Amino acid sequence: MAKKKKQNSNNQNENLSSNQAEEMITRDIFVFAEIIKKSDKMTLHAVVPELLNAARELADKYTNMLKVCSIICTDYNIDSDFENIKRDLYINGSDKIYFIKSEKIQNYTGIAKAVSEFCKAKIPEIFLIGATIIGRSIAPLISSDLNTGLTADCTKLEITNFKDEKKLAATRPTFGGQLMATILCKNLPQMATVRPSVLQKRGDIYKEDGEYEEFIPNLDDFCNHLTILNTEINKNKLSAELENAQIVVAGGKGLKNEENFQKLIKFANLIGASYAGSRGAVDMGLIGKEYQIGQTGKTVAPKVYIAFGISGAVHHMVGISNAKKIIAINNDENAPIIENSDIAIVEDASKVLDELIEELEKNGNA
Ligand SMILES: Cc1cc2nc3c(=O)[nH]c(=O)nc-3n(C[C@H](O)[C@H](O)[C@H](O)COP(=O)(O)OP(=O)(O)OC[C@H]3O[C@@H](n4cnc5c(N)ncnc54)[C@H](O)[C@@H]3O)c2cc1C
């Protein structure tokens, strides 16, 4: 594994001596391979292939010595699905997989501690984590334990030259989305979280197999102060898992009232879609903030996005820039979303919803 020859003093983490730090620094890019349970199977979160693809592109720009390493650390038992998970990681861009194992890994605090102990042993250049519920929980714990910086919720990752060094340039919205800030991190690892569906996964197979290593962290001194007694799924919030949705039906201010918004939810349920809203709809109290699509909301990449009564402001459209097809229903033919859609219906949104629901119910979809 290539070692970094000369390390800028700024890059040495304060809790390590310079010699120690220099020995441990790898030139690798780590990607946290978040595991989720889906239909009784353990699998990778959809953000992982997106991060791996980004990591590969960064590795190629940085220097050809960088490896992309997936870090598996989970409190799930993944034995039965392990081979599939491993294969998916290589296919999507991993050169190497590290599997961090310990009985003390019982919830996200244990995961964070184990991963940060691992990073102390093998300091990566860059560490990418999905801005998921787990990712957002562990990333700040890891970065504070490693005494390094974390750029959260990034929308773009690039490599830039700064004082004769290549650095990760992580861009994220700031000041409520009015500005985009590009942030460099002076310590290692340079950490960033990225929202699901913002980046693209690769279209081809990277490799079928690769390097593999297990790591047992020393967690003797770790006292897990958090005990999870019970986990309950909030079914209302579940449909806010929009990032992976194949079809999204969204409503805006043009729906005008609660009654029409309920029609939209009914239509979404009839066609098996997730539902969402513009900020206009959120501001009117028609739908919760966790369902908002756009710059200060969620980013989605469905096969079909159906927008009822949404004008298509730029702040909204950035959230659907990866949607494959956009269908817009708006009574104003000059609304910006009409021009940006694949299919446009210039009509009253409520009337179209009534007709669609009637048709679907007639055909036995109720
Ligand atoms: C910093 C910043 C961040 C922002 N972030 C976001 C964000 O994350 N997401 C977001 O969505 N917005 C965001 N916004 C707000 C954004 O600029 C728009 O104001 C918002 O998207 C408008 O919501 P809307 O399309 O529902 O409402 P409007 O712009 O009011 O559009 C309503 C549309 O409905 C149509 N309509 C009216 N009546 C009917 C009818 N009967 N049938 C059919 N169509 C009808 C109208 O023609 C119009 O096009 C942000 C703004 C700022 C400044």
Side-chain angles (χ1 to χ4, degrees):
M1 189 171 292
K3 299 274 190 304
K4 204 169 190 179
K5 284 202 175 86
K6 190 171 178 297
Q7 190 62 27
N8 183 318
S9 59
N10 278 343
N11 282 348
Q12 288 159 6
N13 293 28
E14 280 167 22
N15 47 355
L16 294 171
S17 75
S18 58
N19 282 344
Q20 273 177 316
E22 194 149 331
E23 267 310 293
M24 293 171 191
I25 290 167
T26 71
R27 300 294 316 268
D28 301 340
I29 301 185
F30 286 4
V31 169
F32 181 68
E34 182 176 339
I35 310 284
I36 56 165
K37 195 173 177 185
K38 206 172 181 183
S39 317
D40 285 335
K41 279 191 164 239
M42 300 302 164
T43 185
L44 293 175
H45 191 289
V47 74
V48 178
E50 297 164 5
L51 294 177
L52 285 171
N53 190 27
R56 280 248 59 81
E57 287 174 8
L58 294 175
D60 293 343
K61 284 182 198 160
Y62 222 86
T63 143
N64 55 16
M65 290 193 297
L66 255 65
K67 277 184 197 162
V68 172
C69 303
S70 292
I71 312 302
I72 302 177
C73 184
T74 177
D75 51 355
Y76 285 128
N77 179 346
I78 58 170
D79 289 351
S80 52
D81 299 298
F82 184 59
E83 286 307 317
N84 287 339
I85 290 170
K86 251 174 95 180
R87 195 167 166 271
D88 281 350
L89 290 170
Y90 293 127
I91 283 177
N92 283 292
S94 302
D95 297 301
K96 179 161 187 171
I97 296 169
Y98 287 104
F99 191 176
I100 307 174
K101 290 180 162 178
S102 164
E103 282 175 6
K104 286 208 165 184
I105 301 169
Q106 275 159 7
N107 56 47
Y108 73 90
T109 54
I111 295 175
K113 188 65 190 163
V115 172
S116 79
E117 286 306 309
F118 173 67
C119 288
K120 284 175 194 166
K122 296 187 189 290
I123 302 170
E125 190 80 32
I126 293 171
F127 192 4
L128 304 180
I129 299 177
T132 61
I133 294 168
I134 288 291
R136 284 177 171 159
S137 306
I138 64 168
L141 295 174
I142 297 169
S143 72
S144 76
D145 202 29
L146 297 177
N147 196 25
T148 189
L150 166 70
T151 309
D153 251 359
C154 299
T155 52
K156 196 161 119 191
L157 301 171
E158 281 180 321
I159 297 298
T160 191
N161 279 318
F162 181 74
K163 294 188 178 170
D164 295 332
E165 266 195 284
K166 290 204 167 158
K167 282 277 173 195
L168 174 70
T171 301
R172 56 152 296 154
T174 188
F175 288 108
Q178 307 209 42
L179 284 178
M180 299 305 278
T182 298
I183 297 168
L184 310 188
C185 175
K186 65 179 183 177
N187 285 1
L188 295 184
Q190 303 167 78
M191 289 185 65
T193 60
V194 185
R195 291 187 198 186
S197 301
V198 169
L199 306 171
Q200 303 272 353
K201 65 177 194 174
R202 65 186 299 126
D204 58 350
I205 292 176
Y206 177 60
K207 52 165 79 167
E208 299 272 357
D209 205 355
E211 293 175 55
Y212 175 76
E213 194 177 319
E214 292 185 1
F215 180 88
I216 301 183
N218 181 355
L219 299 178
D220 291 349
D221 295 337
F222 173 60
C223 172
N224 198 336
H225 295 292
L226 180 80
T227 308
I228 296 177
L229 299 175
N230 185 22
T231 308
E232 262 181 52
I233 295 172
N234 181 337
K235 290 201 175 120
N236 293 327
K237 296 238 166 147
L238 198 62
S239 54
E241 283 288 326
L242 283 162
E243 285 101 339
N244 299 326
Q246 298 291 298
I247 309 173
V248 176
V249 177
K253 249 177 163 172
L255 281 179
K256 296 192 170 75
N257 56 44
E258 176 69 30
E259 191 190 335
N260 286 337
F261 216 92
Q262 286 307 316
K263 287 183 195 168
L264 176 128
I265 294 173
K266 185 169 186 183
F267 169 62
N269 288 335
L270 282 170
I271 62 166
S274 294
Y275 55 87
S278 67
R279 180 147 128 191
V282 173
D283 290 346
M284 281 177 79
L286 297 175
I287 192 167
K289 171 90 172 101
E290 66 272 21
Y291 296 82
Q292 182 182 312
I293 304 289
Q295 190 172 310
T296 43
K298 295 213 159 122
T299 305
V300 290
K303 287 188 178 148
V304 187
Y305 186 78
I306 313 175
F308 287 87
I310 293 178
S311 60
V314 65
H315 302 105
H316 185 81
M317 298 308 282
V318 292
I320 56 169
S321 58
N322 285 334
K324 302 269 177 319
K325 291 263 180 273
I326 298 174
I327 302 174
I329 298 94
N330 198 302
N331 65 359
D332 176 6
E333 62 179 355
N334 296 315
I337 200 163
I338 299 283
E339 201 179 314
N340 291 312
S341 59
D342 299 281
I343 299 172
I345 302 171
V346 180
E347 187 51 276
D348 177 72
S350 159
K351 183 166 172 263
V352 174
L353 279 168
D354 283 338
E355 287 174 13
L356 286 169
I357 290 168
E358 194 190 325
E359 198 61 30
L360 286 163
E361 288 184 335
K362 209 162 56 189
N363 288 322
N365 282 317

